[in-house]
Amino acid sequence: MAMEQYGVTKPISLAGPDKIDLRRTRELEKFMFEAKLYESNEEAHKREEVLLLLGQIVKDWVKALTRLRGYSDKMVEDANALILTFGSCRLGVNCPGADIDALCVGPSYVSREEDFFHVLLEVLVEMDEVSELQPIPDAHVPVLKFKFHGFSIDLLYSSISLLVVPDDLDISHPSVLYNVDEATVRSLNGCRVADQILRLVPNVKHFRTTLRCLKYWAQRRGVYSNVIGFLGGVNWAILVARVCQLYPNAVPSMLVSRFFRVYTQWRWPNPVMLCEIEEMELGLPVWDPRKNPWDRTHHMPIITPSYPCMNSSYNVSTSTLCVIMEQFEFGNKICQEIDLRKASWHTLFEPYMFFESYKNYIQVDMVSADADDLRAWKGWVESRVRQLTLMIERDTFGKLLCHPYPHDYVDSSKCYAKCAIFMGLQRRKEGAEEAFQQFDLRATIEEFKQSIFVYSYWKPGMDLFVSHVPRRGLPAYVFSAGYVRARCSGLSNERLVGTSDCGRSEVNGESLRDTRLKRIHYSDVVQTLHPSKRQSLESPSSRRRESSSPEVDGESRSSSTGSSTLVESPEISPDNASRVMMERIPVESPVSSPESVATPTSETSSSEHLGVEEVTCSNEGSCRSSEGSDASSSPELHSDLTGTSPEHDSNGKRVSFTKVAEALQPNTTIDMIFGRRSAIEGRVLQQRHETGWGEQDSIEQVWICSMDLSFASGRKKRREGVEASRQSRLLNGL
């Protein structure tokens, strides 16, 4: 018997549920009812009434415009506009209190720019039932946001090429796409995609239950927001529909488990498609990476099933894709434990502890004169947060990943309107030479702020402040009432170098006690040197503190152990605009389970004590070694190192790596004393990058040669001292 095919491939399995699967499905549905994921009949009835009232408003609006344009009485009588739902309402998975995604379809002579965003806007402003009105005409899909009878509504507008819009308009027919602009196509696509998804799934009831479950899971785990770079409602609907096609006879409990199993193994950027991509004679652009170079840059393609097929997840970046995949891994692990009866459904839906998962955050504060202005200002800023993520990835060459959290937090203690959004910072897994690199994001933040203040509807009082905040410096209003932050004693350095538990810390395989002894020994060595040598060997962090501006010095404070180099920001207010936005953020290496890491008392250890090589990256992308800058910038060394090909000694051995080691003197000498190999490796790689020579020499060669040079330098100085003493004795004897 041939296997029936759903979608672009054959199903993975046609197996149906057994008794255990049916019992788990009942438990899942019980949990969803207890979590109040289903709206009551009363609320559903009220939602229908609100849509009918909204439909009557737009019909009267179109009739009034038709009369003003001088059309006949018959034309005015036949003038019509439709209100169609899309998104969760059209798919039948809307939760209590959910927004209403609606589309207004009007005739060809009613425009979006003038009539919808001006005339209809004035009509809504005059209505007492309408509040929180916010037009966003410059969005990728222009939208009018407002509250109507207590329901939040996102209203789109599409003007189709018909003089009269029929009540029985088939929105799925390709004819509605004739002679319309791209914004209208995107607006119409919401309804068309929802209808096509429901046609392509084998069991609509199981699809709706599974989608409702996974949308709630995504919200709890902080990966539900298309605006800031995660996945929105249509993305989750397509992903769930594809799993339903692969397991057509599975029940919701099976589909949830299979969902995480499939997408933890999915090889992105291979696209998720429910049907073949079709091209029509209309000539509208469709997603095709073979023809469109821009489509090749998409990280997580999720293709809409209706013409014109588009990538609905173009907002996903490298950083947000990593976060999504981490959460898929978490869901897959919990579902495996549920199958073994080691966990319950409640465990799967535990909220993501965002403010305990990172050591460093970016805080974006938005302030305005009143709550209405703040609502509009916040909507604009949130729509641009994705650009900040991309800018940070660009300026750090992908070494720093950002996790924008799709929730805003209101500071009610201020006399002015203020709210904030946060982004977690995490280092991408790299080699040992980049384990301690630091990043200067001040130019990036300034570029982001400049892109924000081009807002067309800016008003006096609207302002933006961006700052770096360590975990221990997070404001109290981001935590719920009664929340107690986890604490652990001692210095912790997890995620920065290796891993550590709450009660101990390891740095490059050595215990914390050994590290503290090493700090004392290093200090003693520096103090015994000649003042000129002592200055050249002082740590770069101390030199930066001495040369920093008073503004930076006033903003920075160390941790209780006195070992933190993080810069905290003072209280932000509209009067405090001239502030340092970002100062060399040290970030941690990623870990597999951020929820399991306890919050330490001290967030990071001092770089000068741990032998951390600090690299400051400018906005042009050039990196320089902080400790090796004096040697590498020397004119004599520069002339000697550039433009010369690798040389050979009398034995035929390459000596270009000797030049590398010489260029790193005298800064490698103190590193030789303590065996700080990672710091030297970072400087060696940087010297290779800047000068272009020595690329074929191993770090091992440079390491050995540096040690030889250090010892040879010491022997030379001793010989010179002996010779000077001998000459002195001879002179005294004469």
Side-chain angles (χ1 to χ4, degrees):
M1 178 180 178
M3 184 179 295
E4 186 177 359
Q5 179 171 325
Y6 298 90
V8 295
T9 62
K10 294 181 179 180
I12 295 176
S13 173
L14 294 176
D18 54 19
K19 293 182 179 180
I20 297 178
D21 295 321
L22 295 175
R23 175 178 55 78
R24 288 180 185 146
T25 299
R26 290 192 297 269
E27 293 174 353
L28 178 60
E29 291 176 345
K30 179 182 177 181
F31 170 83
M32 294 169 64
F33 275 107
E34 292 176 350
K36 298 180 181 180
L37 299 184
Y38 296 90
E39 66 177 357
S40 62
N41 295 331
E42 180 182 357
E43 185 176 358
H45 180 68
K46 186 178 180 181
R47 189 184 296 269
E48 294 295 332
E49 290 180 349
V50 167
L51 287 172
L52 290 175
L53 291 174
L54 185 60
Q56 189 60 46
I57 291 172
V58 297
K59 285 182 180 179
D60 295 341
W61 163 63
V62 169
K63 289 181 181 293
L65 288 174
T66 306
R67 187 178 293 107
L68 288 174
R69 302 273 161 83
Y71 288 97
S72 64
D73 293 340
K74 176 63 175 174
M75 190 70 174
V76 172
E77 182 181 354
D78 294 338
N80 189 25
L82 297 180
I83 289 292
L84 304 174
T85 60
F86 63 96
S88 59
C89 290
R90 198 172 189 89
L91 292 172
V93 294
N94 48 293
C95 299
D99 297 350
I100 298 178
D101 297 321
L103 169 68
C104 176
V105 182
S108 58
Y109 56 86
V110 177
S111 67
R112 177 187 299 105
E113 291 77 12
E114 297 295 332
D115 299 325
F116 181 72
F117 279 111
H118 288 85
V119 180
L120 181 60
L121 183 64
E122 294 177 358
V123 172
L124 295 175
V125 168
E126 298 297 327
M127 299 181 64
D128 296 334
E129 300 86 353
V130 176
S131 62
E132 301 182 7
L133 195 58
Q134 179 186 354
I136 311 179
D138 299 328
H140 187 66
V141 180
V143 61
L144 189 61
K145 294 176 175 285
F146 57 94
K147 272 193 174 182
F148 186 53
H149 287 284
F151 285 90
S152 297
I153 296 178
D154 293 347
L155 184 62
L156 313 181
Y157 179 74
S158 293
S159 175
I160 61 176
S161 57
L162 294 174
L163 290 177
V164 177
V165 179
D167 289 329
D168 58 349
L169 176 69
D170 184 7
I171 198 69
S172 298
H173 197 276
S175 61
V176 300
L177 302 177
Y178 287 133
N179 298 324
V180 297
D181 57 13
E182 291 189 8
T184 300
V185 172
R186 290 192 291 267
S187 300
L188 291 168
N189 229 22
C191 300
R192 293 165 51 82
V193 167
D195 291 342
Q196 188 71 356
I197 289 175
L198 294 176
R199 294 191 192 101
L200 293 174
V201 294
N203 190 310
V204 175
K205 180 182 177 181
H206 292 168
F207 163 75
R208 285 174 171 165
T209 302
T210 308
L211 178 58
R212 191 188 300 270
C213 169
L214 287 170
K215 285 180 65 177
Y216 179 63
W217 174 86
Q219 293 168 359
R220 298 282 285 178
R221 302 302 297 178
V223 289
Y224 188 91
S225 176
N226 184 61
V227 174
I228 67 173
F230 291 110
L231 302 179
V234 65
N235 308 131
W236 291 102
I238 295 174
L239 291 179
V240 172
R242 184 62 185 132
V243 174
C244 291
Q245 291 179 340
L246 296 175
Y247 300 92
N249 298 324
V251 293
S253 63
M254 300 171 61
L255 291 172
V256 170
S257 177
R258 301 317 188 266
F259 177 91
F260 294 114
R261 185 184 303 176
V262 167
Y263 291 116
T264 52
Q265 302 178 47
W266 197 273
R267 296 183 179 179
W268 304 105
N270 289 331
V272 174
M273 299 186 299
L274 301 181
C275 58
E276 296 290 347
I277 296 177
E278 56 180 345
E279 299 188 19
M280 297 184 179
E281 297 178 356
L282 296 179
L284 296 174
V286 298
W287 187 84
D288 189 351
R290 297 169 299 181
K291 299 179 180 179
N292 307 321
W294 179 252
D295 293 341
R296 301 170 195 164
T297 65
H298 295 166
H299 301 284
M300 193 180 188
I302 302 175
I303 311 304
T304 56
S306 62
Y307 178 82
C309 297
M310 307 175 182
N311 176 23
S312 61
S313 57
Y314 63 90
N315 275 349
V316 175
S317 65
T318 302
S319 296
T320 52
L321 176 59
C322 291
V323 175
I324 293 171
M325 294 306 297
E326 286 178 1
Q327 294 306 316
F328 283 169
E329 293 285 352
F330 168 82
N332 187 45
K333 177 183 176 182
I334 299 301
C335 285
Q336 291 176 359
E337 294 179 356
I338 292 174
D339 292 341
L340 299 174
R341 300 189 63 82
K342 294 182 179 180
S344 63
W345 290 111
H346 293 79
T347 309
L348 181 64
F349 297 94
E350 289 180 352
Y352 179 65
M353 306 302 292
F354 175 73
F355 292 110
E356 292 185 3
S357 301
Y358 300 95
K359 287 186 178 179
N360 297 281
Y361 297 85
I362 291 178
Q363 179 176 343
V364 181
D365 289 277
M366 298 152 282
V367 297
S368 63
D370 53 51
D372 292 335
D373 289 349
L374 180 62
R375 188 178 304 107
W377 183 235
K378 180 174 70 71
W380 167 252
V381 174
E382 287 181 343
S383 68
R384 308 298 298 175
V385 167
R386 172 178 169 269
Q387 299 300 322
L388 177 57
T389 302
L390 296 176
M391 291 175 186
I392 293 175
E393 292 177 357
R394 177 201 65 195
D395 292 345
T396 61
F397 304 99
K399 298 175 184 177
L400 190 62
L401 302 181
C402 303
H403 180 180
Y405 200 50
H407 297 282
D408 58 88
Y409 297 87
V410 178
D411 186 2
S412 57
S413 64
K414 303 300 179 184
C415 59
Y416 48 86
K418 173 186 174 182
C419 69
I421 55 179
F422 294 83
M423 303 173 65
L425 299 177
Q426 175 175 284
R427 186 189 306 277
R428 178 188 285 275
K429 294 180 180 178
E430 297 287 352
E433 67 276 2
E434 298 174 350
F436 304 107
Q437 183 174 353
Q438 296 187 343
F439 303 94
D440 189 339
L441 301 179
R442 284 173 291 185
T444 307
I445 297 301
E446 188 61 31
E447 180 185 355
F448 170 69
K449 292 185 68 176
Q450 291 176 2
S451 69
I452 291 295
F453 283 104
V454 299
Y455 184 43
S456 303
Y457 297 90
W458 183 88
K459 295 181 181 179
M462 292 181 176
D463 211 339
L464 182 76
F465 304 93
V466 184
S467 57
H468 160 236
V469 180
R471 181 167 54 189
R472 54 185 163 78
L474 289 169
Y477 59 81
V478 303
F479 300 100
S480 57
Y483 178 83
V484 179
R485 302 196 201 185
R487 297 287 184 182
C488 60
S489 60
L491 178 66
S492 179
N493 199 35
E494 69 268 20
R495 296 226 201 134
L496 186 60
V497 279
T499 60
S500 66
D501 297 330
C502 187
R504 61 182 179 84
S505 177
E506 292 186 1
V507 183
N508 295 333
E510 299 184 19
S511 65
L512 177 61
R513 178 177 301 177
D514 295 336
T515 306
R516 289 171 178 167
L517 291 175
K518 183 177 294 185
R519 295 177 189 171
I520 298 173
H521 186 63
Y522 177 88
S523 177
D524 293 340
V525 171
V526 174
Q527 292 299 327
T528 58
L529 294 175
H530 190 272
S532 60
K533 292 293 184 180
R534 187 190 314 158
Q535 183 178 3
S536 66
L537 293 177
E538 282 178 352
S539 64
S541 298
S542 62
R543 291 201 300 270
R544 277 199 301 271
R545 285 196 296 270
E546 294 172 0
S547 61
S548 60
S549 63
E551 183 179 8
V552 176
D553 292 336
E555 293 179 356
S556 63
R557 64 171 184 247
S558 61
S559 66
S560 58
T561 59
S563 60
S564 176
T565 59
L566 296 175
V567 175
E568 299 184 31
S569 302
E571 185 62 39
I572 299 174
S573 65
D575 299 329
N576 186 17
S578 58
R579 57 176 299 145
V580 175
M581 291 161 291
M582 193 64 57
E583 174 68 18
R584 290 189 180 89
I585 303 176
V587 292
E588 68 277 3
S589 300
V591 296
S592 57
S593 302
E595 292 88 350
S596 62
V597 180
T599 305
T601 304
S602 176
E603 304 299 349
T604 185
S605 53
S606 177
S607 59
E608 64 266 27
H609 292 316
L610 298 181
V612 177
E613 172 69 1
E614 300 177 288
V615 178
T616 302
C617 295
S618 65
N619 58 323
E620 291 85 0
S622 61
C623 298
R624 65 183 184 272
S625 170
S626 299
E627 293 187 61
S629 58
D630 296 337
S632 60
S633 60
S634 173
E636 295 81 12
L637 282 175
H638 185 73
S639 61
D640 180 56
L641 296 177
T642 56
T644 57
S645 58
E647 301 173 357
H648 296 76
D649 58 11
S650 57
N651 297 326
K653 296 182 179 180
R654 292 172 56 88
V655 295
S656 60
F657 63 87
T658 305
K659 293 187 177 182
V660 179
E662 290 175 347
L664 297 176
Q665 298 290 339
N667 299 294
T668 53
T669 306
I670 195 67
D671 292 313
M672 292 301 113
I673 298 175
F674 300 116
R676 286 161 43 184
R677 174 163 184 160
S678 60
I680 293 181
E681 291 176 352
R683 285 197 294 276
V684 169
L685 294 176
Q686 192 59 39
Q687 286 282 5
R688 288 179 176 176
H689 173 73
E690 293 178 353
T691 60
W693 44 254
E695 297 187 4
Q696 298 177 351
D697 301 309
S698 66
I699 292 177
E700 188 71 28
Q701 288 176 306
V702 178
W703 171 261
I704 296 172
C705 183
S706 298
M707 294 183 65
D708 293 338
L709 285 175
S710 300
F711 297 143
S713 176
R715 289 193 297 268
K716 180 180 179 181
K717 291 180 180 179
R718 287 195 296 273
R719 286 196 302 267
E720 291 175 351
V722 171
E723 182 64 22
S725 178
R726 188 177 67 84
Q727 293 292 339
S728 176
R729 287 196 301 270
L730 288 174
L731 290 174
N732 291 334
L734 291 175

